[in-house]
Amino acid sequence: MGIIPSAAAAGDSSARCKENERAALLKLKQGLFDSSGRLSSWAGDDCCRWRGVRCSNRTGHVVQLRLRNPSPSPDGDDNFLSGKISPSLLELRHLSYLDLSRNRFDGASIPRFSGSLTSLRYLNLSDATFGRTIPHQLGNLSRLQYPDFHWLYIPPRPLVVDNFHWISRRSSLSYLDTSAINLSAAGDVYDEVTKLPRLSVLRLINCQLLRLPNTLPPSANLTSLTTLDLSSNYLGPLLPSWLSNISKSQEYRSLLQPVPWPDLWLWEVVFPSDISNFDKQLSGCVRNSLQVLNLANNALGGGVPVWIGELRNLKSLHLEDNLLSGLIPPSLGTLSSLSFLYLSDNMLRGSISESFGQLSELIVWVVSYNQLSGIVSDVHFSSITSFSSSWLPQFQLKNIHLGSGVLGVVEKRMEDIN
């Protein structure tokens, strides 16, 4: 279905917005406070030309409302919309895309009538200061694929979920982000989200989750999952076995087509354990395709595992703020795709292997606040162009932090680094 863009870009399309839908949008405007005049174009007969309104160029029905605050944050600006969402939205029976993110609704409830917008596929209410309980009526949105409720920070009047069963009825979901939403009273969250066969991205950051199950029910189906972010929860003490089961499913599907596993974010989930316990879970297909591994701030002990060097496609490794000790294994120097390496705030000792000079994609390397010693030279950092006029660097390191270490000898040429 083609879409008529707003404003003058609409051209001379013969399709014009429906009168009842134009009236519905005007009622919506009447309930909103718009101090910056973002809705000033909402006048005249053709609502398909109004800012933020998109219509089908075949039927003229309103299919998209893009009312996202254009500022990076609702704090400190006057571009936000506030006020009350009018039930006149129900007149937009063909509305498939609704974005109200980054506006200010001051702790108001998400309207229950939202569950009657049955054509919705995309719903973005992130950082819009809605509060109270996410209504179960959203479970009636049979076509919904992309719901986003996340908060960047914990709000003064947070959203909560008291029952997650409604989400499992939406088998069409491919993306779900409830970050900073309180899920502590939502029942078995994992039992519900694992019933979503098309789910590709799942972000449950800082949701006050207290555990991860060791196994999943037989009905679990996460074969489409590519991104899982469980940051800032207390989920210990071990990485659960079902992550390994997901990797087996991915490996099975890879026989039919390449299936990536780009991200595993477990930052600050408090695993009071030895890092070696992750070996079995990060095996098989995961070991071949993982791109981001974030285990920062988890009080992990032991040494940096040699097997991390087998994560062939790893681009970003975060092990900072743990209790890791021993040597940095030379095997990390075989991570040919690695761009970001964070090992700071541990108890690592010894010298840095010259194998790190092989990291042709390295951009940022942070090893500060350790107990390292030895010689650091251009062999380790051949991306840095200021060593000599005749030296041709092999890659593009931009930042290195070596502060608060116990470096014994640093060759004088390092003094030229800015």
Side-chain angles (χ1 to χ4, degrees), residues 275-294:
I275 194 172
S276 62
N277 291 325
F278 291 87
D279 186 16
K280 293 181 180 180
Q281 282 79 11
L282 299 179
S283 61
C285 180
V286 174
R287 188 160 294 198
N288 292 330
S289 55
L290 190 69
Q291 294 182 17
V292 177
L293 178 59
N294 190 330

Side-chain angles (χ1 to χ4, degrees), residues 26 43 70 85 117 142 147 168 178 232 235 239 255 258 267 279 298 326 331:
L26 289 176
I85 305 299
L117 297 170
S142 60
S168 65
T178 62
S232 300
L235 305 176
L239 197 66
L255 298 176
W267 176 79
D279 186 16
N298 276 301
S331 62

Side-chain angles (χ1 to χ4, degrees), residues 401-414:
H401 297 264
L402 297 171
S404 299
V406 192
L407 293 172
V409 180
V410 180
E411 292 195 2
K412 189 177 186 299
R413 286 175 293 178
M414 291 291 289

Side-chain angles (χ1 to χ4, degrees), residues 110 123-127 134 138 144 147-151 159 166-167 176-181:
I110 297 172
L123 177 62
N124 192 341
L125 304 179
S126 62
D127 288 315
I134 294 180
L138 295 181
L144 191 62
D148 190 345
F149 305 105
H150 84 265
W151 286 80
L159 277 168
W166 63 268
I167 205 75
L176 177 62
D177 192 341
T178 62
S179 299
I181 307 303

